[in-house]
């Protein structure tokens, strides 16, 4: 559900940016074909870009393969998830409201199509230049739906009827009905998004501008055509059709007299193309923060091979860095970090001798999903290196990586950060009232929730480890209760070692300096 919510949010943002650009830059420009392309392509981008992820790594190293167990992160759509997605995903009323709105719009669209079918049965049918004309009685605005024109011919003179036919034939020629149905489908998915309603209105106005232009190109004078539009009554309108007087008449009058200024139109066209490319590129890219990548303490470079995506082991087995489908740890990437944090025990020798730092453990997930070839890619000290090896070697079976339809070996490297907490006074309490004055975190001691008052009473000498969850990590695991952060404490008396990593990019094993 969270993935779907993230998709809707990102699609809404993309649609909003492009709709506002069109409204303030292109709307009143008589570039009918290009404007229609822009609106339709905006819909395409908003629907597909949230599903596309392109990763770029700008790392200046002499080696070509960098393998770190990190998720690619889209900075804009990820920040939105931290703020919005967990709250929506955990509240079932949002899901009910969304589906009720969508079902209502589906029902409304289907009912309009059924009404069209009912009108068709009452109509007298004629042929006009290869098109089907449904002649109906009553007072309504002429409209078209795909290759059919609905009209009451008795209400118009031959001259006015000819103008109306040219107008509606323009709708049919340009397949405007298909556009309308596409945007009605968009509304079903994004009915909550005001920009979805706005872009639908803008598209229908564009359809009328384009059809009016076709009438004027046939030799009709602007004055006589304006008079025809003003004489039209406001009749009932159906959703998926193109009405003769659908849009605001004043806007249509303005567009009839607007002329294309070549230089101005060229500048706006180029700007619009750059806007589409920029928005698509920005939201499709998974941006790794350069400060994290360029820091040599946070990456591991491996020797390059003749194949940038793989290397050969001594037994001639190929090991891949990049595959069509990556190996999956049971429960996902967050579960990897939780597993390691729960299993790691900070060696006593390392605590007594103030040994800390990042240990990079390299391993291979083989064709059956087992973790093999575990070794230290870059270590700190034998005591914590051996603990890191022990924990990674004990990982359960993964779902193997798939490349070109076959299960393959995939190489990974994961950083485990062993970090000591300085304890100047072992007899002092863990926290005091001033420390917790302005914050209200969720506190978990040995798997049980405790109050801030109970937290203040805990002595440092009784603590085995402390870990902190922030933002997305906190709300994913503990819901709304974790919105202000979560403090996970494991006492020395506890038989379990429950902890969670502080950062998403590495696993932290915390101990206390003796």
């Amino acid at each position: 559900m969270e993935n779907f919510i993230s998709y809707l949010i990102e699609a809404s943002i993309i649609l909003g940016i492009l709709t506002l650009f069109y409204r303030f830059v292109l709307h009143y420009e008589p570039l009918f074909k290009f404007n229609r392309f822009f609106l339709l392509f905006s819909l395409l981008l908003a629907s597909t870009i949230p599903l596309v992820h392109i990763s770029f790594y700008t790392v200046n190293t002499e080696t070509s393969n960098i393998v770190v167990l990190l998720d690619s992160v889209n900075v804009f759509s990820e920040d939105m998830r931290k703020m919005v997605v967990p709250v929506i995903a955990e509240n079932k009323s949002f899901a009910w409201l969304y589906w009720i709105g969508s079902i209502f719009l589906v029902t409304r669209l289907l009912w309009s199509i059924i009404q069209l079918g009912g009108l068709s049965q009452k109509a007298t049918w004629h042929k006009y230049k290869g098109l089907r004309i449904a002649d109906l009685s009553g007072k309504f605005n002429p409209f078209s739906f795909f290759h059919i024109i609905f009209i009451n011919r008795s209400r118009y003179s031959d001259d006015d009827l000819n103008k109306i036919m040219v107008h509606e034939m323009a709708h049919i020629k340009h397949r405007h009905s298909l556009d309308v149905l596409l945007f009605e489908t968009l509304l079903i998915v994004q009915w909550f998004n005001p920009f979805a309603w706005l872009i639908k209105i803008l598209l229908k106005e564009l359809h009328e501008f384009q059809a009016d232009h076709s009438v004027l190109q046939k030799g009709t004078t602007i004055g006589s055509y304006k008079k025809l539009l003003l004489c039209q009554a406001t009749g009932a309108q159906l959703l998926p059709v193109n009405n003769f007087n659908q849009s605001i008449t004043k806007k249509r009058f303005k567009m009839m007299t607007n002329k294309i200024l070549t230089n101005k139109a060229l500048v706006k066209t180029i700007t619009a193309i750059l806007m589409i490319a920029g928005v698509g590129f920005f939201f499709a890219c998974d941006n790794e923060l350069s400060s994290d990548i360029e820091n040599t303490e946070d990456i591991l470079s491996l020797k390059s091979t003749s194949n940038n995506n793989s290397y050969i082991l001594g037994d001639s087995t190929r090991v891949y860095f990049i595959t069509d489908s990556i190996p999956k740890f049971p429960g996902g990437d967050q579960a990897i970090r939780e597993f390691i944090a729960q299993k790691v025990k900070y060696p006593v020798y390392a605590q007594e001798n103030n040994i800390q730092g990042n240990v990079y453990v390299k391993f291979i997930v083989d064709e059956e999903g087992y973790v093999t070839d575990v070794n230290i890619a870059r270590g700190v000290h034998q005591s914590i290196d051996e603990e890191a090896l022990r924990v990674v070697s004990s990982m359960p079976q993964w779902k193997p990586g798939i490349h070109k339809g076959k299960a393959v070996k995939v190489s990974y490297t994961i950083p485990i950060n062993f970090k000591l907490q300085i304890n100047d006074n072992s007899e002092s309490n863990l926290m005091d009232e001033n420390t917790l004055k302005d914050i209200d975190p969720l506190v978990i001691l040995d798997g049980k929730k405790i109050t801030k008052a109970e937290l203040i009473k805990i002595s440092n000498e009784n603590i085995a480890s402390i870990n902190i969850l922030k933002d997305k990590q906190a709300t994913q695991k503990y819901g709304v209760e974790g919105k202000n952060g979560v403090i996970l404490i494991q006492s020395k008396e506890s038989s379990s070692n429950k902890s969670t990593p502080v950062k998403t990019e590495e696993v932290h094993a915390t101990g206390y300096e003796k």
Side-chain angles (χ1 to χ4, degrees), residues 13 60 125 129 186 233 303 326 365 427 452 477 483:
I13 294 170
N60 297 321
W125 293 91
K129 294 185 178 181
L186 169 68
K303 291 182 179 181
I326 63 172
V365 179
E427 298 299 327
K452 287 199 295 185
K477 191 171 181 64
K483 65 180 180 179

Side-chain angles (χ1 to χ4, degrees), residues 101-128:
S102 296
I103 291 171
F104 171 77
L105 291 178
V106 170
T107 304
R108 188 182 70 155
L109 178 60
L110 292 176
W111 176 245
S112 294
I113 294 174
I114 291 172
Q115 285 182 298
L116 278 177
L119 290 176
S120 299
Q121 292 179 350
K122 299 177 182 178
T124 302
W125 293 91
H126 304 278
K127 288 284 187 178
Y128 180 83

Side-chain angles (χ1 to χ4, degrees), residues 286-325:
D286 291 327
N287 301 300
E288 295 288 349
L289 298 179
S290 59
S291 59
D292 291 339
I293 296 179
E294 292 171 359
N295 186 347
T296 56
E297 289 298 315
D298 292 330
I299 63 174
L300 176 68
S301 298
L302 299 179
K303 291 182 179 181
S304 61
T305 64
S306 58
N307 188 325
N308 288 331
N309 294 335
S310 63
Y311 65 94
I312 306 296
L313 291 177
D315 60 358
S316 298
T317 303
R318 185 173 293 279
V319 179
Y320 289 84
F321 301 126
I322 302 173
T323 55
D324 297 335
S325 176

Side-chain angles (χ1 to χ4, degrees), residues 347-358:
V348 176
Y349 178 85
Q351 295 183 52
E352 292 175 344
N353 291 275
N354 193 27
I355 298 172
Q356 58 185 338
N358 288 319

